Amino acid sequence: MIQTLPLAPEDIPEKAAVHAQTWQETYRGLLPDELNDTITPQFAEDVTRRLTSLRTLVAKIDGRIVGYISWSDRCREHFSVDGAAEVGNLYVLREFQGRGVGRALLDAALRCIGERDVVLSAFSSNAAALGFYEHVGFVRTGVTFDEGPMEETELVFRHKSGT
């Protein structure tokens, strides 16, 4: 059974280890090695402790963190959707992908966000992530950021009320 819970202070080291492992599983071969090599558990723990404005839920199976989602209540200025919330991270350990963990995390975050549009960006080279987001109701806006291997594609989830 998948539990989605707010990140507790005692969960930060385990969440950081999941952050580093999922980054390597997802981006090794898609992004430059110099970037991938910087994403260590210590780096991820430092980022988690520093970015206190982000809201984070973890997914646990049998007490083990297997994924997480982080979002902010207001998106960064470079997004094309004014006033939307922004999902910044959604990662699930490879061995737990395809079991509904990502969907459970996203659904829980959307409930927390409430009746608002939500934006996110995914690396344009990450076809699996783009496919997942489109499958669960996100739509590409046509906006991209950056160039080359770091290019990101913007997607939006419109709240059903049309806001």
Side-chain angles (χ1 to χ4, degrees):
M1 185 175 108
I2 302 165
Q3 292 181 291
T4 56
L5 306 163
L7 177 66
E10 62 271 16
D11 289 333
I12 291 175
E14 186 180 4
K15 179 265 181 194
V18 168
H19 178 153
Q21 182 177 337
T22 55
W23 183 277
Q24 298 304 322
E25 291 174 345
T26 303
Y27 300 121
R28 188 65 62 188
L30 287 179
L31 298 177
D33 286 345
E34 312 80 70
L35 173 61
N36 289 330
D37 292 344
T38 66
I39 310 301
T40 64
Q42 185 59 53
F43 171 86
E45 186 170 338
D46 292 345
V47 167
T48 300
R49 292 186 189 284
R50 192 175 64 248
L51 296 179
T52 57
S53 63
L54 291 180
R55 297 176 64 189
T56 301
L57 297 173
V58 294
K60 290 186 177 185
I61 295 178
D62 296 329
R64 176 182 173 198
I65 295 176
V66 299
Y68 71 96
I69 188 169
S70 297
W71 72 94
S72 59
D73 290 326
R74 185 151 310 275
C75 66
R76 292 171 288 165
E77 292 181 6
H78 69 275
F79 282 97
S80 69
V81 183
D82 291 333
E86 178 188 350
V87 170
N89 300 287
L90 173 55
Y91 291 103
V92 176
L93 291 169
R94 182 168 285 155
E95 68 184 283
F96 291 92
Q97 291 177 4
R99 299 186 192 184
V101 176
R103 182 64 183 253
L105 283 164
L106 186 57
D107 287 347
L110 290 174
R111 283 192 301 276
C112 291
I113 292 167
E115 298 183 9
R116 301 186 45 219
D117 292 341
V118 179
V119 294
L120 58 82
S121 61
F123 289 114
S124 300
S125 59
N126 190 347
L130 293 170
F132 168 78
Y133 290 124
E134 290 174 320
H135 177 75
V136 298
F138 281 79
V139 176
R140 295 180 199 218
T141 64
V143 174
T144 59
F145 312 109
D146 296 325
E147 299 290 328
M150 300 296 291
E151 180 185 86
E152 296 180 52
T153 296
E154 180 186 85
L155 299 101
V156 63
F157 181 89
R158 298 278 183 195
H159 190 269
K160 290 178 179 56
S161 69
T163 58

